[in-house]
Amino acid sequence: MTPHNLPQHWQWIRLGDIAEIIGGTTPSTTNPEYWDGECPWITPAEINNDSKIIYQTKRQITQKAVKDKSLKILPIGTILLSSRAPIGKVAIVGSEMYCNQGFKNLVCDEKKIYNLYLFYFLKGKTTFLNSLGRGTTFKEISKSIVEQIEIPLPPLEIQREIVEILESKLEKITSAKAILESSLKECETYRLSLLNDAFNGNLTPHSKDWQWVRLGECLEKMTTAKLDKDTFSYIDIESIDNKTQTITTPKTLPTSKAPSRAKREVKEGDTLFSMVRPYLKNIAFVDLEFSHCVASTGFYVCRPKSNLLPKYLFFLMISPLVVNGLNQFMRGDNSPSIRSHDLENFSIPLPPLEIQREIVEILESKLEKIASAKSLLESSLKECETYRLSLLESAFKGELV
């Protein structure tokens, strides 16, 4: 962090000069004498972006663990700062506790720094803190690195004034974000209910011509791609945006280094359905732009026969009816997956083609409006976060007082 000019009576000061840095450790998990005691013990996993004051922990250790491992207690008011996996989570100790080795916590000298001032300063420095991380397996910030961090420090009364202004403004930002996030959830709920209605026959006039059929009866057999050029475009799980359910950026790979899973031929109008963790909804429709690609065998390439419209099939495959229905067939621990025959034997509602066209037309119109609304809401959320960070930056340059 590059020091900048400060207002009168402010100074740059090292964290090691205004706070004691305290870490922790994990007592042996195989020793029952160390666990289920009366001493709260926290890990970084218990802190999230909304955390402020922590009063309770998920696990407790015994006094024997504290004594044997020479653990230091974290007094009330201590700033919790995660130092690895990930770096930069921040909260305040609300009741005395201990911690694991994933922290470099700061016990503030109350005569020099207001702990809430330091809390908000660190909340705006996640990127900076991560840039200080060292290590190959995973990055970590050491005690000495934390001690050397310089912060802009005004007199205590100004620190308290800044915190008061920040909390007032941040509360409004938090409220605005909560409203936006609630609206996003409502959009998603409506989207899912719309898809449910579509395949329950509730979007179109009732017809007796609907029938339940095996999905496999409506699909062409998957075909193997021919890799006859020097390079090819490869679609794997990372090429799918599972929020918008679209193909984003296929990888361009040399044919000589083609992965063993690069086998599925892809054509315009296909729907790619990931058989690995189907609940993640890595599903996408293949437009003309991506019809030259090769897909991973982790996908079932759904190519409709003449009795099934391509877009009807796509909307069906992203619907709760299919996704939730196929989830029940997942097997395996590391990468729970479904098998091809699970998908092929799954029963789907099949209306006449004219009703499929009507359903597709209605869904495309309504889903486009939902997507536009979600895009606006997500943009507003980003603006809230941008404003939050700029507010924090202004606060510690002395621009709020």
Side-chain angles (χ1 to χ4, degrees), residues 85 111 115 176 190 288 298 311 320 355:
K111 295 180 181 179
N115 67 340
Y190 176 51
L288 178 61
K311 273 298 181 76
I355 293 181

Side-chain angles (χ1 to χ4, degrees), residues 75-141:
I76 294 172
T78 299
I79 303 297
L80 295 164
L81 173 64
S82 68
S83 55
R84 65 178 185 179
I87 296 171
K89 286 186 175 182
V90 187
I92 299 173
V93 171
S95 59
E96 292 181 342
M97 61 182 65
Y98 300 88
C99 71
N100 77 348
Q101 61 276 16
F103 290 97
K104 297 295 180 288
N105 306 306
L106 300 107
V107 181
C108 297
D109 182 340
E110 296 180 355
K111 295 180 181 179
K112 297 179 180 178
I113 187 165
Y114 182 30
N115 67 340
L116 279 170
Y117 177 87
L118 180 56
F119 168 77
Y120 285 117
F121 174 81
L122 294 172
K123 285 287 280 186
K125 297 298 178 184
T126 305
T127 301
F128 167 69
L129 291 168
N130 274 274
S131 73
L132 301 177
R134 301 291 181 268
T136 51
T137 305
F138 54 81
K139 288 189 174 183
E140 180 173 12
I141 50 174

Side-chain angles (χ1 to χ4, degrees), residues 182-200:
S182 176
S183 297
L184 269 173
K185 288 179 181 178
E186 288 175 8
C187 282
E188 181 60 12
T189 299
Y190 176 51
R191 188 184 75 88
L192 294 176
S193 69
L194 190 64
L195 289 166
N196 272 329
D197 286 344
F199 303 109
N200 287 333

Side-chain angles (χ1 to χ4, degrees), residues 41-49 51 54 56-59 80-87 89-91 99-103:
W41 179 84
I42 193 168
T43 69
E46 296 171 61
I47 301 176
N48 58 44
N49 290 336
S51 297
I54 306 289
Q56 296 180 321
T57 60
K58 291 183 178 179
R59 302 189 72 181
L80 295 164
L81 173 64
S82 68
S83 55
R84 65 178 185 179
I87 296 171
K89 286 186 175 182
V90 187
C99 71
N100 77 348
Q101 61 276 16
F103 290 97

Side-chain angles (χ1 to χ4, degrees), residues 52-64:
K52 185 176 181 184
I53 302 177
I54 306 289
Y55 294 98
Q56 296 180 321
T57 60
K58 291 183 178 179
R59 302 189 72 181
Q60 290 76 40
I61 57 176
T62 61
Q63 287 291 349
K64 179 175 175 56

Side-chain angles (χ1 to χ4, degrees), residues 82 91 151 173 180 184 290 307 337 385:
S82 68
I151 72 165
I173 294 173
L180 292 168
L184 269 173
F290 301 110
N307 62 342
S337 307
E385 180 60 12

